[in-house]
PDB file of all heavy atoms in Angstrom:
ATOM      1  N   MET A1132       3.894   9.003  12.819  1.00 98.00           N
ATOM      2  CA  MET A1132       5.079   8.178  12.994  1.00 98.00           C
ATOM      3  C   MET A1132       4.665   6.846  13.626  1.00 98.00           C
ATOM      4  O   MET A1132       3.869   6.827  14.569  1.00 98.00           O
ATOM      5  CB  MET A1132       6.087   8.889  13.897  1.00 98.00           C
ATOM      6  CG  MET A1132       6.575  10.220  13.354  1.00 98.00           C
ATOM      7  SD  MET A1132       7.303  11.299  14.644  1.00 98.00           S
ATOM      8  CE  MET A1132       8.616  10.251  15.284  1.00 98.00           C
ATOM      9  N   TYR A1133       5.242   5.759  13.109  1.00 98.00           N
ATOM     10  CA  TYR A1133       4.985   4.422  13.645  1.00 98.00           C
ATOM     11  C   TYR A1133       6.326   3.859  14.090  1.00 98.00           C
ATOM     12  O   TYR A1133       7.184   3.540  13.268  1.00 98.00           O
ATOM     13  CB  TYR A1133       4.356   3.537  12.567  1.00 98.00           C
ATOM     14  CG  TYR A1133       3.980   2.150  13.021  1.00 98.00           C
ATOM     15  CD1 TYR A1133       2.678   1.866  13.422  1.00 98.00           C
ATOM     16  CD2 TYR A1133       4.918   1.118  13.030  1.00 98.00           C
ATOM     17  CE1 TYR A1133       2.330   0.583  13.835  1.00 98.00           C
ATOM     18  CE2 TYR A1133       4.570  -0.161  13.440  1.00 98.00           C
ATOM     19  CZ  TYR A1133       3.277  -0.420  13.850  1.00 98.00           C
ATOM     20  OH  TYR A1133       2.931  -1.679  14.254  1.00 98.00           O
ATOM     21  N   ARG A1134       6.516   3.754  15.405  1.00 97.00           N
ATOM     22  CA  ARG A1134       7.806   3.343  15.969  1.00 97.00           C
ATOM     23  C   ARG A1134       7.694   1.940  16.556  1.00 97.00           C
ATOM     24  O   ARG A1134       6.904   1.694  17.465  1.00 97.00           O
ATOM     25  CB  ARG A1134       8.244   4.326  17.038  1.00 97.00           C
ATOM     26  CG  ARG A1134       9.585   4.005  17.686  1.00 97.00           C
ATOM     27  CD  ARG A1134      10.024   5.151  18.570  1.00 97.00           C
ATOM     28  NE  ARG A1134      10.334   6.330  17.780  1.00 97.00           N
ATOM     29  CZ  ARG A1134      10.431   7.555  18.295  1.00 97.00           C
ATOM     30  NH1 ARG A1134      10.240   7.771  19.581  1.00 97.00           N
ATOM     31  NH2 ARG A1134      10.716   8.584  17.498  1.00 97.00           N
ATOM     32  N   ALA A1135       8.519   1.014  16.018  1.00 96.00           N
ATOM     33  CA  ALA A1135       8.508  -0.371  16.491  1.00 96.00           C
ATOM     34  C   ALA A1135       9.825  -1.029  16.146  1.00 96.00           C
ATOM     35  O   ALA A1135      10.379  -0.810  15.062  1.00 96.00           O
ATOM     36  CB  ALA A1135       7.360  -1.147  15.850  1.00 96.00           C
ATOM     37  N   ALA A1136      10.356  -1.830  17.058  1.00 94.00           N
ATOM     38  CA  ALA A1136      11.563  -2.640  16.838  1.00 94.00           C
ATOM     39  C   ALA A1136      12.734  -1.807  16.338  1.00 94.00           C
ATOM     40  O   ALA A1136      13.471  -2.222  15.441  1.00 94.00           O
ATOM     41  CB  ALA A1136      11.261  -3.775  15.857  1.00 94.00           C
ATOM     42  N   GLY A1137      12.900  -0.618  16.893  1.00 93.00           N
ATOM     43  CA  GLY A1137      14.035   0.216  16.544  1.00 93.00           C
ATOM     44  C   GLY A1137      13.906   0.966  15.237  1.00 93.00           C
ATOM     45  O   GLY A1137      14.867   1.609  14.785  1.00 93.00           O
ATOM     46  N   VAL A1138      12.746   0.913  14.601  1.00 96.00           N
ATOM     47  CA  VAL A1138      12.514   1.607  13.326  1.00 96.00           C
ATOM     48  C   VAL A1138      11.332   2.554  13.486  1.00 96.00           C
ATOM     49  O   VAL A1138      10.313   2.185  14.086  1.00 96.00           O
ATOM     50  CB  VAL A1138      12.232   0.595  12.189  1.00 96.00           C
ATOM     51  CG1 VAL A1138      11.875   1.324  10.898  1.00 96.00           C
ATOM     52  CG2 VAL A1138      13.433  -0.316  11.983  1.00 96.00           C
ATOM     53  N   THR A1139      11.469   3.766  12.960  1.00 97.00           N
ATOM     54  CA  THR A1139      10.357   4.711  12.962  1.00 97.00           C
ATOM     55  C   THR A1139      10.010   5.056  11.517  1.00 97.00           C
ATOM     56  O   THR A1139      10.814   5.665  10.801  1.00 97.00           O
ATOM     57  CB  THR A1139      10.702   5.999  13.723  1.00 97.00           C
ATOM     58  OG1 THR A1139      11.115   5.670  15.051  1.00 97.00           O
ATOM     59  CG2 THR A1139       9.489   6.917  13.795  1.00 97.00           C
ATOM     60  N   ALA A1140       8.833   4.645  11.085  1.00 98.00           N
ATOM     61  CA  ALA A1140       8.375   4.863   9.721  1.00 98.00           C
ATOM     62  C   ALA A1140       7.251   5.892   9.707  1.00 98.00           C
ATOM     63  O   ALA A1140       6.641   6.188  10.740  1.00 98.00           O
ATOM     64  CB  ALA A1140       7.884   3.553   9.118  1.00 98.00           C
ATOM     65  N   ILE A1141       6.981   6.442   8.516  1.00 98.00           N
ATOM     66  CA  ILE A1141       5.843   7.331   8.331  1.00 98.00           C
ATOM     67  C   ILE A1141       4.716   6.513   7.706  1.00 98.00           C
ATOM     68  O   ILE A1141       4.885   5.889   6.663  1.00 98.00           O
ATOM     69  CB  ILE A1141       6.186   8.524   7.429  1.00 98.00           C
ATOM     70  CG1 ILE A1141       7.350   9.320   8.013  1.00 98.00           C
ATOM     71  CG2 ILE A1141       4.951   9.413   7.248  1.00 98.00           C
ATOM     72  CD1 ILE A1141       7.111   9.883   9.394  1.00 98.00           C
ATOM     73  N   MET A1142       3.570   6.523   8.369  1.00 98.00           N
ATOM     74  CA  MET A1142       2.396   5.807   7.904  1.00 98.00           C
ATOM     75  C   MET A1142       1.267   6.795   7.653  1.00 98.00           C
ATOM     76  O   MET A1142       1.280   7.919   8.175  1.00 98.00           O
ATOM     77  CB  MET A1142       1.937   4.789   8.957  1.00 98.00           C
ATOM     78  CG  MET A1142       3.009   3.842   9.456  1.00 98.00           C
ATOM     79  SD  MET A1142       3.410   2.546   8.305  1.00 98.00           S
ATOM     80  CE  MET A1142       2.007   1.445   8.554  1.00 98.00           C
ATOM     81  N   MET A1143       0.294   6.374   6.862  1.00 98.00           N
ATOM     82  CA  MET A1143      -0.929   7.166   6.731  1.00 98.00           C
ATOM     83  C   MET A1143      -2.123   6.229   6.719  1.00 98.00           C
ATOM     84  O   MET A1143      -2.024   5.070   6.306  1.00 98.00           O
ATOM     85  CB  MET A1143      -0.910   8.050   5.484  1.00 98.00           C
ATOM     86  CG  MET A1143      -0.974   7.338   4.164  1.00 98.00           C
ATOM     87  SD  MET A1143      -0.971   8.542   2.794  1.00 98.00           S
ATOM     88  CE  MET A1143      -1.279   7.421   1.411  1.00 98.00           C
ATOM     89  N   GLY A1144      -3.234   6.731   7.226  1.00 98.00           N
ATOM     90  CA  GLY A1144      -4.457   5.948   7.279  1.00 98.00           C
ATOM     91  C   GLY A1144      -5.642   6.802   6.873  1.00 98.00           C
ATOM     92  O   GLY A1144      -5.655   8.022   7.099  1.00 98.00           O
ATOM     93  N   ARG A1145      -6.630   6.176   6.274  1.00 98.00           N
ATOM     94  CA  ARG A1145      -7.816   6.896   5.830  1.00 98.00           C
ATOM     95  C   ARG A1145      -8.721   7.220   7.024  1.00 98.00           C
ATOM     96  O   ARG A1145      -8.916   6.377   7.911  1.00 98.00           O
ATOM     97  CB  ARG A1145      -8.581   6.060   4.799  1.00 98.00           C
ATOM     98  CG  ARG A1145      -9.639   6.845   4.027  1.00 98.00           C
ATOM     99  CD  ARG A1145     -10.360   5.932   3.045  1.00 98.00           C
ATOM    100  NE  ARG A1145      -9.464   5.381   2.049  1.00 98.00           N
ATOM    101  CZ  ARG A1145      -9.160   5.978   0.901  1.00 98.00           C
ATOM    102  NH1 ARG A1145      -9.673   7.179   0.629  1.00 98.00           N
ATOM    103  NH2 ARG A1145      -8.343   5.400   0.035  1.00 98.00           N
ATOM    104  N   VAL A1146      -9.270   8.427   7.055  1.00 97.00           N
ATOM    105  CA  VAL A1146     -10.219   8.835   8.099  1.00 97.00           C
ATOM    106  C   VAL A1146     -11.632   8.524   7.608  1.00 97.00           C
ATOM    107  O   VAL A1146     -12.034   8.949   6.520  1.00 97.00           O
ATOM    108  CB  VAL A1146     -10.076  10.332   8.415  1.00 97.00           C
ATOM    109  CG1 VAL A1146     -11.097  10.756   9.468  1.00 97.00           C
ATOM    110  CG2 VAL A1146      -8.656  10.637   8.899  1.00 97.00           C
ATOM    111  N   ARG A1147     -12.369   7.757   8.403  1.00 96.00           N
ATOM    112  CA  ARG A1147     -13.700   7.337   7.997  1.00 96.00           C
ATOM    113  C   ARG A1147     -14.734   8.436   8.265  1.00 96.00           C
ATOM    114  O   ARG A1147     -14.434   9.453   8.890  1.00 96.00           O
ATOM    115  CB  ARG A1147     -14.060   6.040   8.729  1.00 96.00           C
ATOM    116  CG  ARG A1147     -13.104   4.896   8.347  1.00 96.00           C
ATOM    117  CD  ARG A1147     -13.459   3.583   8.972  1.00 96.00           C
ATOM    118  NE  ARG A1147     -13.196   3.529  10.402  1.00 96.00           N
ATOM    119  CZ  ARG A1147     -13.097   2.412  11.105  1.00 96.00           C
ATOM    120  NH1 ARG A1147     -13.233   1.232  10.506  1.00 96.00           N
ATOM    121  NH2 ARG A1147     -12.857   2.441  12.400  1.00 96.00           N
ATOM    122  N   ASP A1148     -15.952   8.207   7.795  1.00 94.00           N
ATOM    123  CA  ASP A1148     -16.995   9.228   7.900  1.00 94.00           C
ATOM    124  C   ASP A1148     -17.322   9.584   9.343  1.00 94.00           C
ATOM    125  O   ASP A1148     -17.753  10.703   9.631  1.00 94.00           O
ATOM    126  CB  ASP A1148     -18.269   8.753   7.187  1.00 94.00           C
ATOM    127  CG  ASP A1148     -18.089   8.700   5.669  1.00 94.00           C
ATOM    128  OD1 ASP A1148     -17.154   9.355   5.161  1.00 94.00           O
ATOM    129  OD2 ASP A1148     -18.886   8.008   5.005  1.00 94.00           O
ATOM    130  N   ASP A1149     -17.126   8.637  10.276  1.00 92.00           N
ATOM    131  CA  ASP A1149     -17.409   8.921  11.680  1.00 92.00           C
ATOM    132  C   ASP A1149     -16.213   9.548  12.401  1.00 92.00           C
ATOM    133  O   ASP A1149     -16.191   9.642  13.623  1.00 92.00           O
ATOM    134  CB  ASP A1149     -17.846   7.649  12.411  1.00 92.00           C
ATOM    135  CG  ASP A1149     -16.746   6.573  12.434  1.00 92.00           C
ATOM    136  OD1 ASP A1149     -15.661   6.810  11.863  1.00 92.00           O
ATOM    137  OD2 ASP A1149     -16.978   5.515  13.041  1.00 92.00           O
ATOM    138  N   GLU A1150     -15.187   9.971  11.617  1.00 91.00           N
ATOM    139  CA  GLU A1150     -13.963  10.643  12.097  1.00 91.00           C
ATOM    140  C   GLU A1150     -12.995   9.693  12.787  1.00 91.00           C
ATOM    141  O   GLU A1150     -11.986  10.134  13.332  1.00 91.00           O
ATOM    142  CB  GLU A1150     -14.298  11.823  13.013  1.00 91.00           C
ATOM    143  CG  GLU A1150     -15.089  12.924  12.313  1.00 91.00           C
ATOM    144  CD  GLU A1150     -15.262  14.161  13.178  1.00 91.00           C
ATOM    145  OE1 GLU A1150     -15.136  14.048  14.420  1.00 91.00           O
ATOM    146  OE2 GLU A1150     -15.516  15.241  12.630  1.00 91.00           O
ATOM    147  N   SER A1151     -13.267   8.398  12.781  1.00 93.00           N
ATOM    148  CA  SER A1151     -12.315   7.426  13.306  1.00 93.00           C
ATOM    149  C   SER A1151     -11.319   7.059  12.213  1.00 93.00           C
ATOM    150  O   SER A1151     -11.564   7.291  11.026  1.00 93.00           O
ATOM    151  CB  SER A1151     -13.036   6.177  13.804  1.00 93.00           C
ATOM    152  OG  SER A1151     -13.662   5.499  12.717  1.00 93.00           O
ATOM    153  N   LEU A1152     -10.180   6.483  12.615  1.00 96.00           N
ATOM    154  CA  LEU A1152      -9.162   6.070  11.658  1.00 96.00           C
ATOM    155  C   LEU A1152      -9.416   4.623  11.236  1.00 96.00           C
ATOM    156  O   LEU A1152      -9.820   3.792  12.048  1.00 96.00           O
ATOM    157  CB  LEU A1152      -7.774   6.200  12.277  1.00 96.00           C
ATOM    158  CG  LEU A1152      -6.583   6.108  11.312  1.00 96.00           C
ATOM    159  CD1 LEU A1152      -6.562   7.296  10.357  1.00 96.00           C
ATOM    160  CD2 LEU A1152      -5.270   6.032  12.086  1.00 96.00           C
ATOM    161  N   ALA A1153      -9.171   4.333   9.965  1.00 97.00           N
ATOM    162  CA  ALA A1153      -9.310   2.961   9.461  1.00 97.00           C
ATOM    163  C   ALA A1153      -8.435   2.016  10.282  1.00 97.00           C
ATOM    164  O   ALA A1153      -7.444   2.440  10.884  1.00 97.00           O
ATOM    165  CB  ALA A1153      -8.916   2.915   7.992  1.00 97.00           C
ATOM    166  N   PRO A1154      -8.734   0.729  10.333  1.00 96.00           N
ATOM    167  CA  PRO A1154      -7.957  -0.209  11.153  1.00 96.00           C
ATOM    168  C   PRO A1154      -6.518  -0.339  10.681  1.00 96.00           C
ATOM    169  O   PRO A1154      -6.177  -0.030   9.536  1.00 96.00           O
ATOM    170  CB  PRO A1154      -8.722  -1.524  11.002  1.00 96.00           C
ATOM    171  CG  PRO A1154      -9.508  -1.376   9.746  1.00 96.00           C
ATOM    172  CD  PRO A1154      -9.862   0.068   9.650  1.00 96.00           C
ATOM    173  N   GLN A1155      -5.669  -0.826  11.576  1.00 96.00           N
ATOM    174  CA  GLN A1155      -4.241  -0.922  11.299  1.00 96.00           C
ATOM    175  C   GLN A1155      -3.934  -1.720  10.042  1.00 96.00           C
ATOM    176  O   GLN A1155      -2.963  -1.432   9.333  1.00 96.00           O
ATOM    177  CB  GLN A1155      -3.520  -1.539  12.510  1.00 96.00           C
ATOM    178  CG  GLN A1155      -2.011  -1.589  12.384  1.00 96.00           C
ATOM    179  CD  GLN A1155      -1.336  -2.098  13.646  1.00 96.00           C
ATOM    180  OE1 GLN A1155      -1.981  -2.251  14.684  1.00 96.00           O
ATOM    181  NE2 GLN A1155      -0.048  -2.352  13.566  1.00 96.00           N
ATOM    182  N   SER A1156      -4.738  -2.718   9.723  1.00 96.00           N
ATOM    183  CA  SER A1156      -4.505  -3.534   8.535  1.00 96.00           C
ATOM    184  C   SER A1156      -4.592  -2.733   7.244  1.00 96.00           C
ATOM    185  O   SER A1156      -4.084  -3.159   6.197  1.00 96.00           O
ATOM    186  CB  SER A1156      -5.516  -4.688   8.490  1.00 96.00           C
ATOM    187  OG  SER A1156      -6.846  -4.182   8.455  1.00 96.00           O
ATOM    188  N   GLU A1157      -5.192  -1.535   7.308  1.00 97.00           N
ATOM    189  CA  GLU A1157      -5.345  -0.696   6.127  1.00 97.00           C
ATOM    190  C   GLU A1157      -4.380   0.490   6.108  1.00 97.00           C
ATOM    191  O   GLU A1157      -4.406   1.283   5.165  1.00 97.00           O
ATOM    192  CB  GLU A1157      -6.788  -0.182   6.039  1.00 97.00           C
ATOM    193  CG  GLU A1157      -7.821  -1.291   5.899  1.00 97.00           C
ATOM    194  CD  GLU A1157      -9.241  -0.767   5.855  1.00 97.00           C
ATOM    195  OE1 GLU A1157      -9.430   0.441   5.577  1.00 97.00           O
ATOM    196  OE2 GLU A1157     -10.176  -1.558   6.102  1.00 97.00           O
ATOM    197  N   TRP A1158      -3.517   0.613   7.113  1.00 98.00           N
ATOM    198  CA  TRP A1158      -2.544   1.691   7.106  1.00 98.00           C
ATOM    199  C   TRP A1158      -1.508   1.452   6.017  1.00 98.00           C
ATOM    200  O   TRP A1158      -1.188   0.310   5.674  1.00 98.00           O
ATOM    201  CB  TRP A1158      -1.856   1.800   8.456  1.00 98.00           C
ATOM    202  CG  TRP A1158      -2.783   2.129   9.595  1.00 98.00           C
ATOM    203  CD1 TRP A1158      -4.100   2.516   9.503  1.00 98.00           C
ATOM    204  CD2 TRP A1158      -2.485   2.079  10.987  1.00 98.00           C
ATOM    205  NE1 TRP A1158      -4.628   2.711  10.751  1.00 98.00           N
ATOM    206  CE2 TRP A1158      -3.667   2.451  11.692  1.00 98.00           C
ATOM    207  CE3 TRP A1158      -1.345   1.754  11.715  1.00 98.00           C
ATOM    208  CZ2 TRP A1158      -3.718   2.514  13.072  1.00 98.00           C
ATOM    209  CZ3 TRP A1158      -1.388   1.810  13.097  1.00 98.00           C
ATOM    210  CH2 TRP A1158      -2.562   2.189  13.767  1.00 98.00           C
TER     211      TRP A1158
END
């Protein structure tokens, strides 16, 4: 869930090989 400015949206992001999440610009 991505909650901002009174709106809660569903987002998804790719998990990279090092188990970190891709940067916000790619969500």
Side-chain angles (χ1 to χ4, degrees):
M1132 299 160 58
Y1133 183 96
R1134 181 171 293 163
V1138 175
T1139 304
I1141 302 301
M1142 308 284 283
M1143 68 179 187
R1145 194 181 298 273
V1146 178
R1147 297 183 288 198
D1148 291 341
D1149 63 359
E1150 297 187 339
S1151 65
L1152 193 66
Q1155 185 175 350
S1156 60
E1157 298 178 19
W1158 298 350

